[in-house]
C-alpha cells in the first residue's frame, strides 16, 4: 500500500509517495537520497540510524516514515549552522572519536540529543537518585551506550562529548534547552 | 637497507582528512553511491543445514508488483569459474550449510524485494548436517598449510622428553569462541552492468583483489570490471576476500542490464555468509626450570573449516616466535563441517593463539611463584626461535617494563584473591602481544604534479585506519613537500593496483610504493616539476627479510573488578604499550590501538556466536544477542608506544598497527580475573557462570 507524505528533513520539505512499510531510515536513504543516517542492523540494536525528531534522538530504523509527517527531522548532515560543523562534530574530529565513520552520524546525533536530555534534567541509569549528575565519564558512557562502535572509539567518544557539552550554569539541571 | 625517510609529516598527528565527511555522514559508503533509479536485491537463504533443493516455486514472488527478476539455481546465469565453491553462487541445487544463498529477488524497492524473497517457496530433500567441533572427532585432518602459507606443524627437539625432565610444567586446554567480525557497515554492493562494463561500488578491503576475483568468476577481462570503494564502514578481515554477496550483486545487475542494483546483507545474513573466526581448542604445554626458563613449548590446535572450502587459521604460528625454548612443537588440525566458510578476522592466528599461550604463561608464573612480567622477561630472545634469524628490532621487554611502571604493577600482591574493595574482588593481569611485519609483493603508485599540487594515486583502502591521511604524510616526506600540498586518491581500480588491506601490511606495502614513486619522481623531474609530470613505481621486495625476522611487540596490562556475589566482571583500566616501529600518525595510531584493545575486551567478556547443533546456524545472529562492547563496558584505556627505530622494515621505519592491539588483550583480562578471584577461566568468553561455579 502506498501513501502520500511530506517529510521535513534538515529544514527542507520532501513530498513522497511511499510504501507504508517504509521506515524513516529507508525513506531517507532510499527515497530522499540523504544517506547521512546509516543502517547497521535495522533492528534498533546499534544506533547507527539515530536522527533527531523534534530535537529528540530517534532510531529511524524503528520508526515508520508515515508517522513522521510534520516532524522536524535532523540528520548529522543538517546539524551544523551556516555551513559550519556543530560543536559536537568538531569535537569528534578533534578527539578522533571515530575510525571507519559508519557509526559516527548516529553517535553525533545521539550526543546532541543526549546533551539536551541532560540539560532537561533527565537522569540516567547510573545517576544517584535525587542527585544532579555531573557529566563525567560514567554518565556519558551510560547515556551513549545505545550507539555501538565496532571500531572501538568509545575512549575517544566520551571526551569528545565532554568537550562539546555546554558549560552548565549554576546547579539547576532543569530549565530551558 | 632501504634509505630511510627524513620524518617531517610522519610522526605528527594531523586530523583525518575525511573527518568532515564522516561526522556529517556525507562520505559515500558502497550502498550510498548516488545512482539513477536503483533497483534492490534481497537474497533467499537455505533453511536446512544440508541437503538438496528439489523444487523452487517463484510464481508468487514474480506475481508481486515491482518485482524485476527472481534468481534461482534453476535459471541463474552459469558462472565461468566455479572452482571456489563459496563463490559459485546459484550454480548447484546442493545445500552445503544453513543460510547459504540459494536465490535472490530484484525489485523496484527494498520492501518489495524483501517480500518477494520471502515468497520464494523452496522444498528440500534434507540430509543430516554435522556442525559440532570437538577435539575428539575421528575425522580431524592435517591441512597442507595454514593461512599465510605457514607450515601446518613445527617440531624441534623433543617436547615429551622436556616435559618428563622439567621441574615445573603446565598442560592445559584453552578454547576461544566462534566470533563474527560484525563491521558496523554490512557487506554491501551497488552494481551496474552496462555497455560491457561491470561497475561495483563494493564495501571491500581491496578494490583490485575484488576486481580480479569477480572477473575470474564471471569470465570477464579485469578491464571490464570497475570497482570503487573510497570508504569502508569497518571490515576487520571480513571484507578482505570476495564473498558470495558481491557475486550475487553482480549477477543481479547482469539480470537487469543498465539498471543499478543495491544489495546490503542484513545483520542476520552476515552471520551466515560474511565470514567468521573459527572456534579454537588449544592444547598448550609449557615445561620450565625453577628459574622460569622455558625448556619446552607445545601448542596443538583443533579448529573448524567448511566442507566446501578450506580455511585454516594459523592459531599456533605466533607461539613459534614469541619465546625461546629448545624443545618446541606446534600443530593445527581441522574438522570440516557443514558450516559457512571461516575467514580472516583481525589478527587471524595471533589473536586466538595468544589467548592460549599467554594464559598458560600466567599459570606457569603462578606455579613458579614468579612475577608474570619477570617470567616473560626471562624468556625473551634476540633470535627468532622459529627462523633462527635475529629480530630486526624486538622491544617486548621494554614494553613490559614501561607498561609495568605506567600501570603501577609493582603495587600488586601476587596472591590471587588478595584484594577486596567492598563487594569487589580486584586483580591485575598482564600479557604479551606480537604481530609480524608483512609486506605484500605487489602494489604500484603514481605521483603526479598537477595544478601546483602533488597527487599520489593508488588503489589502496581506508577501513577507518586513516589511509587517506597517513599516506599523504608519507608522500609528503618522500617528496620533501609540505603536507598541505599533497593529495592522495585511493579506493578505485582506476588507480594503480594495490594489495588488499590485510595483515597490517597497508603502510608497509602501499607506503613503500608511494615512496618509490616519489623518489623516482624527484630523480626524474627534480625539485621544480612541470604541470602533468608523472611517475609510476612499485613496491620492491625487502632484501632485509633474508637476514632478519620482523615483528611488532606489545604488552597489555588490565585491572579487573569482579562482583563477589554476581560474578559480574568490569574492566576499569587497560593499558597497552607497543613497539611497532615509527608511528606515522600519532592521533590515528592511538585510535587503532584503542580499537584493537576494545575489541580484545569484547572478545574476553562478551562475544560468542552460539551454534545450534539441531539446526546448524548461529542462533544469536544479531547485535542484541551477539553483544559487542558498548560504551559503558569500556573504562579507561591508556595507550603508549616506544620510540622504536627499525631501519630494516621499510623506508618509513613503520611496522603496521591495525592488529597488534587485539593480540593478547583477552589473555590479560583472563589473567586479571584470575588474580582477582582465584578462578582460572580457560574458555572464552569470561561469563558470570564460569566465576560462580
Ligand atoms: S540501524 Fe537502527 S539501530 Fe541499528
Ligand atoms: S567508527 Fe567504525 S563503527 Fe564507530
Amino acid at each position: 500500500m502506498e501513501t502520500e507524505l511530506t517529510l521535513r528533513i534538515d529544514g527542507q520539505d520532501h513530498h513522497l509517495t511511499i510504501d507504508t512499510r517504509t521506515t524513516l531510515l529507508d525513506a531517507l536513504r532510499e527515497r530522499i537520497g540523504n544517506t547521512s543516517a546509516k543502517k547497521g542492523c535495522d533492528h534498533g540494536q546499534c544506533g547507527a540510524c539515530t536522527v533527531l525528531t523534534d530535537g529528540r534522538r530517534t532510531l529511524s530504523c524503528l520508526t515508520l516514515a508515515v508517522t513522521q509527517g510534520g516532524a522536524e527531522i535532523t540528520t548529522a548532515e543538517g546539524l551544523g549552522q551556516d555551513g559550519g560543523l556543530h560543536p559536537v562534530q568538531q569535537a569528534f574530529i578533534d578527539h578522533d572519536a571515530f575510525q571507519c565513520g559508519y557509526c559516527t552520524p548516529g553517535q553525533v546525533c545521539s550526543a546532541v540529543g543526549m546533551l539536551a536530555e541532560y540539560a532537561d534534567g533527565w537522569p540516567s541509569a547510573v545517576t544517584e537518585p535525587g542527585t544532579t549528575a555531573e557529566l563525567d565519564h560514567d554518565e556519558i558512557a551510560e547515556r551513549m551506550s545505545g550507539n555501538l562502535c565496532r571500531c572501538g572509539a568509545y575512549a575517544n567518544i566520551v571526551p569528545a562529548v565532554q568537550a562539546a557539552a555546554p558549560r552548565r550554569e549554576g546547579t539547576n539541571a532543569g530549565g530551558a534547552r | 637497507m632501504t634509505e630511510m625517510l627524513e620524518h617531517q609529516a610522519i610522526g605528527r598527528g594531523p586530523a583525518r582528512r575525511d573527518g568532515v565527511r564522516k561526522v556529517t555522514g556525507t562520505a559515500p559508503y558502497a550502498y550510498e553511491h548516488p545512482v539513477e533509479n536503483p533497483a534492490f536485491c534481497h537474497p533467499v537463504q537455505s533453511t536446512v543445514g544440508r541437503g538438496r533443493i528439489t523444487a523452487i516455486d517463484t510464481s508468487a514472488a514474480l506475481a508481486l508488483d515491482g518485482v524485476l527478476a527472481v534468481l534461482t539455481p534453476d535459471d541463474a546465469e552459469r558462472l565461468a569459474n566455479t572452482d571456489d565453491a563459496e563463490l559459485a553462487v546459484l550454480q548447484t541445487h546442493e545445500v552445503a550449510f544453513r543460510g547459504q544463498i540459494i536465490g535472490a529477488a530484484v525489485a523496484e524497492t527494498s520492501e518489495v524485494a524483501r517480500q518477494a524473497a520471502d515468497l520464494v517457496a523452496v522444498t528440500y530433500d534434507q540430509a543430516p548436517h554435522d556442525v559440532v567441533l570437538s577435539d575428539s572427532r575421528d575425522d580431524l585432518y592435517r591441512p597442507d598449510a595454514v593461512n599465510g602459507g605457514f607450515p601446518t606443524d613445527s617440531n624441534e627437539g623433543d617436547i615429551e622428553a622436556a616435559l618428563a625432565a622439567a621441574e615445573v610444567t603446565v598442560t592445559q586446554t584453552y578454547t576461544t569462541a566462534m566470533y563474527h567480525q560484525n563491521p558496523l557497515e554490512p557487506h554491501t554492493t551497488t552494481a551496474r552492468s552496462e555497455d560491457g562494463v561491470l561497475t561495483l561500488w563494493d564495501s571491500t578491503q581491496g578494490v583490485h583483489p575484488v576486481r580480479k576475483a569477480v572477473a575470474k568468476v564471471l569470465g570477464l577481462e579485469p578491464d571490464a570490471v570497475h570497482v570503487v570503494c573510497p570508504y569502508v564502514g569497518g571490515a576487520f578481515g571480513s571484507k578482505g576476500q570476495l564473498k558470495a554477496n558481491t557475486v550475487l550483486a553482480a549477477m543481479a545487475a547482469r539480470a537487469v542490464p543498465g539498471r543499478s542494483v543495491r544489495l546490503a546483507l542484513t545483520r542476520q545474513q552476515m552471520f551466515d555468509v560474511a565470514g567468521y573466526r573459527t572456534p579454537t581448542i588449544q592444547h598448550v604445554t609449557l615445561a620450565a626450570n625453577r628459574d622460569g626458563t622455558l625448556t619446552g613449548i607445545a601448542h596443538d590446535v583443533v579448529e573448524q573449516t567448511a566442507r566446501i572450502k578450506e580455511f585454516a587459521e594459523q592459531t599456533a604460528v605466533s607461539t613459534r616466535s614469541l619465546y625461546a625454548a629448545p624443545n618446541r612443537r606446534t600443530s593445527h588440525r581441522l574438522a570440516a563441517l557443514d558450516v559457512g566458510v571461516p575467514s580472516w578476522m583481525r589478527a587471524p592466528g595471533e589473536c586466538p593463539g595468544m589467548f592460549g599461550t599467554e594464559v598458560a604463561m600466567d599459570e606457569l608464573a603462578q606455579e613458579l611463584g614468579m612475577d608474570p612480567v619477570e617470567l616473560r622477561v626471562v624468556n625473551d630472545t634476540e633470535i627468532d626461535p622459529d627462523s633462527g634469524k635475529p629480530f630486526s628490532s624486538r622491544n617486548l621487554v621494554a614494553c613490559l617494563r614501561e607498561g609495568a611502571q605506567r600501570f603501577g604493577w609493582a603495587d600488586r600482591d601476587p596472591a590471587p584473591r588478595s584484594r577486596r574493595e567492598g563487594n569487589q574482588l580486584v586483580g591485575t593481569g598482564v600479557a604479551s602481544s606480537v604481530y609480524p611485519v608483512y609486506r605484500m609483493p605487489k602494489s604500484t603508485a603514481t605521483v603526479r604534479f598537477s595544478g601546483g599540487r602533488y597527487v599520489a594515486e593508488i588503489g589502496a583502502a581506508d577501513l577507518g585506519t586513516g589511509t587517506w591521511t597517513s599516506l599523504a604524510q608519507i608522500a609528503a616526506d618522500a617528496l620533501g613537500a609540505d603536507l598541505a600540498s599533497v593529495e592522495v586518491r585511493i579506493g578505485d581500480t582506476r588507480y594503480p593496483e594495490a594489495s588488499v588491506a590485510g595483515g597490517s601490511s597497508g603502510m608497509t606495502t602501499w607506503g613503500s610504493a608511494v615512496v618509490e614513486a616519489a623518489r623516482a619522481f624527484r630523480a626524474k623531474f627534480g625539485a621544480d616539476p612541470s604541470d602533468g609530470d608523472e611517475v609510476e613505481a612499485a613496491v620492491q621486495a625487502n632484501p632485509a627479510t633474508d637476514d632478519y625476522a620482523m615483528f611488532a611487540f606489545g604488552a597489555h596490562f588490565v585491572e579487573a573488578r569482579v562482583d563477589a556475589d554476581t560474578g559480574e566482571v568490569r574492566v576499569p583500566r587497560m593499558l597497552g604499550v607497543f613497539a611497532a616501529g615509527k608511528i606515522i600518525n600519532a592521533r590515528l595510531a592511538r585510535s587503532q590501538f584503542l580499537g584493537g584493545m576494545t575489541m580484545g575486551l569484547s572478545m574476553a567478556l562478551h562475544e560468542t556466536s552460539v551454534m545450534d547443533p539441531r539446526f546448524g546456524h548461529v542462533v544469536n545472529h544479531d547485535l542484541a544477542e551477539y553483544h559487542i562492547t558498548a560504551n559503558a563496558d569500556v573504562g579507561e584505556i591508556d595507550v603508549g608506544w616506544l620510540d622504536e627505530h627499525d631501519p630494516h622494515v621499510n623506508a618509513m621505519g613503520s611496522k603496521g598497527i591495525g592488529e597488534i592491539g587485539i593480540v593478547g588483550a583477552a589473555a590479560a583480562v583472563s589473567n586479571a580475573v584470575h588474580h582477582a578471584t582465584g578462578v582460572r577461566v580457560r574458555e572464552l568468553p569470561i561469563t558470570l557462570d564460569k566465576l560462580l561455579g
Side-chain angles (χ1 to χ4, degrees), chain A residues 25 38-49 59-62:
Chain A
L25 179 61
K38 307 301 179 198
K39 184 182 286 188
C41 71
D42 216 14
H43 276 49
Q45 299 168 344
C46 75
C49 64
L59 295 175
S60 60
C61 74
L62 289 190

Side-chain angles (χ1 to χ4, degrees), chain B residues 166-433:
Chain B
E167 288 171 321
V168 184
T169 62
V170 168
T171 301
Q172 289 293 352
T173 301
Y174 304 90
T175 62
T176 58
M178 179 187 205
Y179 303 109
H180 279 80
Q181 296 92 339
N182 275 312
L184 208 58
E185 180 204 19
H187 290 59
T188 51
T189 312
T190 301
R192 181 167 66 223
S193 176
E194 193 171 35
D195 303 332
V197 176
L198 176 69
T199 306
L200 300 172
W201 293 272
D202 193 43
S203 185
T204 175
Q205 293 172 233
V207 288
H208 287 96
V210 163
R211 173 170 79 171
K212 197 168 159 190
V214 165
K216 183 173 163 191
V217 168
L218 294 175
L220 301 172
E221 287 302 318
D223 280 354
V225 182
H226 179 197
V227 184
V228 186
C229 183
Y231 304 101
V232 185
F236 313 111
S238 72
K239 298 169 182 171
Q241 292 135 317
L242 184 64
K243 298 243 156 59
N245 59 291
T246 303
V247 176
L248 182 66
M251 293 169 77
R254 284 153 65 90
V256 290
R259 192 85 191 259
S260 298
V261 177
R262 299 207 200 271
L263 191 166
L265 291 181
T266 66
R267 183 59 56 181
Q268 289 76 5
Q269 288 166 345
M270 288 170 69
F271 280 81
D272 299 320
V273 297
Y276 63 92
R277 194 198 299 281
T278 172
T280 70
I281 303 167
Q282 307 176 32
H283 302 288
V284 180
T285 294
L286 301 176
N289 296 330
R290 266 272 148 231
D291 66 0
T293 320
L294 287 167
T295 55
I297 307 177
H299 196 172
D300 299 298
V301 180
V302 174
E303 49 199 16
Q304 78 188 39
T305 185
R307 207 177 309 267
I308 57 165
K309 178 172 167 180
E310 181 180 289
F311 177 84
E313 182 141 349
Q314 72 273 36
T315 303
V317 166
S318 49
T319 304
R320 295 173 187 167
S321 295
L322 190 57
Y323 301 117
N327 304 289
R328 324 160 55 74
R329 180 184 73 212
T330 61
S331 68
H332 300 83
R333 296 295 177 268
L334 297 183
L337 304 177
D338 302 314
V339 292
V341 185
S343 68
W344 300 338
M345 179 167 172
R346 201 172 204 163
E350 288 79 13
C351 173
M354 281 299 104
F355 175 71
T357 303
E358 286 299 288
V359 176
M361 285 294 279
D362 202 66
E363 302 209 44
L364 179 63
Q366 193 197 357
E367 283 290 315
L368 291 163
M370 194 170 173
D371 183 273
V373 170
E374 294 310 315
L375 176 64
R376 289 169 171 87
V377 171
V378 163
N379 287 290
D380 192 47
T381 168
E382 287 299 304
I383 305 289
D384 171 17
D386 191 42
S387 65
K389 298 174 196 170
F391 289 100
S392 61
S393 56
R394 172 172 167 127
N395 283 300
L396 174 60
V397 170
C399 290
L400 287 161
R401 293 272 187 239
E402 157 106 15
Q405 213 232 339
R406 204 156 152 168
F407 190 77
W409 180 257
D411 304 343
R412 158 190 215 261
D413 177 342
R417 215 184 171 95
S418 56
R419 185 169 156 205
R420 185 173 178 138
E421 290 177 14
N423 218 31
Q424 289 181 331
L425 305 172
V426 185
T428 51
V430 63
S432 303
S433 185

